[in-house]
Amino acid sequence: MIQRNPCIANIKAGYLFPEIAKRRREYAAAHPDAKIISLGIGNTTEPILPHINTGLTEGARRLGTVEGYSGYQDEGILVLREKISTVFYKTQFAANEIFISDGAKCDIGRLQLLFGAGVKIAVQDPSYPVYVDGSVLTGAAGGWTGNGYAGISYLPCTAENNYFPNLDLIPQNGLVYFCSPNNPTGAVANKDQLATLVEAARAKGSVIIFDAAYSEFIRDPALPKSIYDIEGAKQCAIEVNSFSKPAGFTGVRLGWSVVPMELKYESGQSINADWSRIVSTIFNGASNIAQAGGLAALDDDGLKEIRSLTDFYLGNAKLIRSALEKLGISCIGGDNSPYIWAHFPGRDSWEVFSQILEKCQVVSTPGAGFGPAGESFIRFSAFGHRNDVEEACVRLSRLK
Ligand code: PLP
């Protein structure tokens, strides 16, 4: 009989969010009258705004015409790649350095093909689970040790270090995942911090995969929205980004990755050329309809809609954070990101999760699910309808 890929066996239990969904289902089955509100998963809830939605429907309509029809566009529609360079990177990248994807998560998984199973991995701890689980699946990380996966350097981000890790822990010639604004902590690295990250990666011959999926939530103009705001980043960083949260495209599926020409392996070979080969070999490009929607999202009216949608979710974040702080719970995040990271010192985060579900009928996310340093924290997500968020905030007062 065919053998199971041993890397799959290395993955611990279920993925975090299916486990939360299971616990929610069990609670709902035992309490059929409970109106459960989710502040758990980072899934968007609000409709796509009209101008961007017209971009999608127009994109579909054009495919039904001789003049407007298009087929495979492996690395993305040229005008969209150029527009991304203009809107997000002050035109500093050529179109062939920007690769359109079906979302940041998919690219995070595929990017590991560039470096193979032997690469050393570092992640912020806590971190978005895909960096770690993807590394385990490709064999770059080993089995669960009881406190993390073998072969992964966890870089703790705690209140003590202001949620910015000790960069001495970055491995030599490795791959460093870095997410800012951060999921789950909501912390945003400032320019000086990112400059030290770039310096450390270059000194160690490592590559950063910079996840900027929440960059459009940054409101403080002093905070960098891209790793390429930092001198030297083109020599050591790939950036992934997404239309999911700012444009409501979680179900539409559209993102991009920037792989600069300057980025090289130790051998001097081009990482960009290999990425182009991988994309055309196992991907074949994002939906042309989604890309038409993406183009609409990046013109003047679309950017206004992105601003208004992200403002809406940030409004939710403010309500949640202030409801928690009124209870004396110490929090970070929610001001330049849609996540609030709440501290319950000395407590087990799954136990706090259960208490919030039972007392408030509110679903949250236990911090331990994001890595060892997430223990005793809870992540609250600002993605929700306003009336649900308001109701959840009232119910949270039961935690007093
Ligand atoms: N990166 C981070 C940090 C995320 O939190 C998420 C989704 O929650 C993603 C990437 C996935 O984005 P996409 O929908 O583009 O795959």
Side-chain angles (χ1 to χ4, degrees):
M1 287 285 279
I2 196 162
Q3 299 290 306
R4 186 185 192 204
N5 176 349
C7 299
I8 298 176
N10 278 338
I11 295 249
K12 184 170 77 85
Y15 184 66
L16 172 64
F17 296 107
E19 177 62 28
I20 291 170
K22 180 175 145 259
R23 292 188 186 214
R24 176 190 174 140
R25 270 195 313 275
E26 284 165 1
Y27 182 83
H31 304 85
D33 295 333
K35 183 183 174 290
I36 300 172
I37 298 174
S38 177
L39 302 181
I41 297 179
N43 204 354
T44 46
T45 53
E46 303 310 296
I48 293 172
L49 290 169
H51 175 76
I52 300 176
N53 203 47
T54 301
L56 290 168
T57 53
E58 263 299 294
R61 190 197 60 76
R62 278 200 304 275
L63 287 178
T65 66
V66 172
E67 324 66 66
Y69 179 76
S70 56
Y72 293 129
Q73 308 279 325
D74 291 355
E75 291 159 1
I77 293 171
L78 182 64
V79 278
L80 179 59
R81 302 168 86 186
E82 289 170 346
K83 190 78 181 165
I84 286 173
S85 181
T86 306
V87 171
F88 296 100
Y89 305 109
K90 303 189 191 91
T91 70
Q92 61 176 314
F93 293 108
N96 61 0
E97 295 175 284
I98 293 171
F99 297 78
I100 308 300
S101 70
D102 52 348
K105 192 192 221 175
C106 320
D107 260 4
I108 290 163
R110 288 187 288 256
L111 278 162
Q112 284 215 339
L113 291 175
L114 288 166
F115 308 103
V119 70
K120 294 191 202 101
I121 305 285
V123 295
Q124 287 160 292
D125 176 21
S127 74
Y128 180 50
V130 183
Y131 314 141
V132 169
D133 291 357
S135 304
V136 176
L137 282 177
T138 58
W144 182 251
T145 64
N147 194 31
Y149 284 96
I152 293 205
S153 301
Y154 290 86
L155 315 181
C157 296
T158 59
E160 289 69 41
N161 59 20
N162 222 356
Y163 302 94
F164 187 80
N166 173 0
L167 301 174
D168 294 342
L169 302 172
I170 290 179
Q172 199 75 32
N173 308 329
L175 196 56
V176 186
Y177 288 95
F178 200 94
C179 178
S180 179
N182 190 265
N183 177 10
T185 68
V188 188
N190 65 33
K191 259 194 165 156
D192 290 344
Q193 290 172 325
L194 287 190
T196 60
L197 173 67
V198 165
E199 197 184 310
R202 293 189 67 184
K204 301 224 177 179
S206 291
V207 165
I208 302 162
I209 294 190
F210 188 79
D211 186 340
Y214 297 98
S215 59
E216 286 310 294
F217 289 85
I218 291 180
R219 290 294 176 270
D220 179 346
L223 292 171
K225 286 184 159 185
S226 163
I227 191 70
Y228 304 116
D229 289 352
I230 309 300
E231 184 85 35
K234 284 183 185 174
Q235 282 81 31
C236 68
I238 292 170
E239 180 162 302
V240 292
N241 208 324
S242 172
F243 287 85
S244 282
K245 309 299 163 93
F249 275 23
T250 41
V252 174
R253 309 306 305 147
L254 190 69
W256 71 93
S257 294
V258 184
V259 185
M261 288 298 176
E262 284 93 328
L263 197 61
K264 299 275 162 53
Y265 299 105
E266 190 182 69
S267 63
Q269 286 166 298
S270 162
I271 295 182
N272 176 289
D274 278 1
W275 183 238
S276 175
R277 178 80 166 89
I278 289 171
V279 167
S280 54
T281 303
I282 62 163
F283 175 44
N284 260 4
S287 146
N288 291 351
I289 300 171
Q291 294 189 70
L295 256 181
L298 299 185
D299 67 19
D300 288 347
D301 289 341
L303 289 169
K304 277 188 205 134
E305 290 186 345
I306 284 182
R307 180 77 186 197
S308 124
L309 189 61
T310 48
D311 272 347
F312 173 82
Y313 289 126
L314 285 168
N316 284 349
K318 198 168 181 185
L319 290 174
I320 298 165
R321 181 163 170 171
S322 88
L324 291 165
E325 285 180 337
K326 268 192 208 136
L327 303 172
I329 297 167
S330 126
C331 301
I332 65 151
D335 34 12
N336 293 286
S337 88
Y339 296 117
I340 296 105
W341 191 235
H343 199 188
F344 295 81
R347 306 235 350 238
D348 174 279
S349 60
W350 278 105
E351 184 253 312
V352 181
F353 164 88
S354 298
Q355 187 194 25
I356 297 171
L357 182 57
E358 277 153 28
K359 276 196 166 176
C360 314
Q361 290 79 50
V362 169
V363 176
S364 58
T365 310
F370 297 101
E375 192 50 279
S376 86
F377 285 87
I378 290 286
R379 187 195 76 173
F380 291 92
S381 158
F383 295 106
H385 301 309
R386 181 59 54 87
N387 54 346
D388 285 340
V389 169
E390 285 170 349
E391 170 69 19
C393 289
V394 171
R395 291 192 204 164
L396 285 173
S397 64
R398 298 177 197 156
L399 292 176
K400 241 189 292 200

